[in-house]
Amino acid sequence: MLNKFVGKGKLLTAVVLFTCIGLSVSAGPGLKFKDKKFKIIQFTDLHYVHSDKHKAQNDSTIELMRLLIEEEKPDLVVFTGDVVVSSPAVAGWDRVTQPMTELRVPFAVNFGNHDTETDLKTSTILEHLSKNPMSVTSNQIKEVSGQGNCSLPILSSNGDQDEMVVYLFDSKAYSDHGKVSGYGWVKHDQIDWYRRTSREFTEKNKRVIPALAFFHIPLPEYAVVREQEGTLGNNTEKVHAPTINTGLLSAFVEMNDVKGVFVGHDHNNDYIGGLFGVALAYGRKTGYVPAYTEILDRGARVIELTEGATSFNTYIRTRSEKLFEYTFPY
């Protein structure tokens, strides 16, 4: 099914600190509402291949990212996986992070299944990215599975309290269990870490702090949302979720803080719909290097937050259009 709606058509000042292991603090560019507004751009599935053969496609990808950042003026960029899929990984990551570095926009990184197929481990990539002054992703949480699991609070406009939290999860690459085939999944120790951190934010602020979650591989529940009336966007590809459901969505529902989940992975999907009070959304494939037959114009998802609100606005941006404008709750 193909739905298409054309809707209505800030660079960040680094002012605070961010947290990435419980509520302890690490140095880095801070995230803060500005005039009660905060905007996120989700880039996904760049599939950057560092080679002369793909130079034109890579150049188009970087130029598109720069264009959308300059036009949308986000306060944060989040990459949701399959970003650099070839060696040398360092050269690729330096290139794809160049627009944020030069335009002074903080960025965070989820890894996808293909980011693990280069000459560097994802832990080494995170260590390299930590040297970039605009990187807000951390690998400090050593006791849970995966790389880059992280909580990023967004402070109020006056900087005196947490207003929103962005959670990053490593959804892994492929199953590492001999009895289970297919893609990886967010494991129970990661979910336990999220629950602990969510409680800490609630206790610290004396209220539930609304949140968003980002990772690469979609949850099995995306297949339910795909068939629902009111779901908006392209759903021309099956949901390639893990065959194991570890209950991450139920944790979000029970903790009552995560209002939106944003993933990549399926290049011909960009839909969004609600389930149990949580929006489940795909980004729009950003990279021009194809991995298989891909039918969508390259672009990104934009998420607009308002201080004090649990709702948010989101839409797809391409080089020339604004599509699928959606306000959650729908």
Side-chain angles (χ1 to χ4, degrees), residues 94-253:
D94 286 348
R95 182 81 195 288
V96 301
T97 57
Q98 189 174 10
M100 286 71 65
T101 305
E102 294 178 353
L103 296 173
R104 307 297 295 170
V105 180
F107 67 90
V109 172
N110 291 134
F111 293 117
N113 50 298
H114 293 299
D115 291 306
T116 64
E117 299 168 355
T118 71
D119 58 338
L120 293 181
K121 294 180 179 179
T122 52
S123 59
T124 305
I125 295 169
L126 277 182
E127 184 179 348
H128 176 71
L129 292 176
S130 70
K131 301 171 186 176
N132 188 309
M134 304 316 297
S135 174
V136 297
T137 312
S138 171
N139 199 29
Q140 292 186 0
I141 305 171
K142 305 296 186 182
E143 73 273 17
V144 301
S145 302
Q147 304 295 327
N149 300 289
C150 194
S151 62
L152 305 174
I154 306 172
L155 298 188
S156 57
S157 297
N158 60 14
D160 67 355
Q161 62 183 348
D162 301 319
E163 281 294 334
M164 180 74 68
V165 181
V166 170
Y167 287 100
L168 306 181
F169 294 87
D170 185 355
S171 57
K172 316 301 188 309
Y174 305 98
S175 171
D176 56 5
H177 194 290
K179 295 182 179 179
V180 182
S181 60
Y183 291 106
W185 55 82
V186 175
K187 295 190 175 181
H188 284 156
D189 62 345
Q190 295 169 272
I191 298 174
D192 291 342
W193 160 77
Y194 153 70
R195 287 180 180 273
R196 290 195 306 270
T197 306
S198 175
R199 290 190 192 99
E200 289 172 2
F201 276 114
T202 298
E203 291 169 3
K204 174 190 173 187
N205 294 279
K206 305 297 190 290
R207 62 187 176 92
V208 174
I209 303 300
L212 305 176
F214 293 83
F215 42 94
H216 180 66
I217 297 174
L219 299 170
E221 288 89 351
Y222 271 71
V224 177
V225 169
R226 186 178 189 271
E227 304 302 325
Q228 288 185 161
E229 184 178 354
T231 294
L232 181 64
N234 295 284
N235 64 358
T236 55
E237 183 175 350
K238 68 172 287 189
V239 175
H240 293 91
T243 54
I244 290 285
N245 190 333
T246 52
L248 182 57
L249 181 59
S250 70
F252 292 156
V253 173

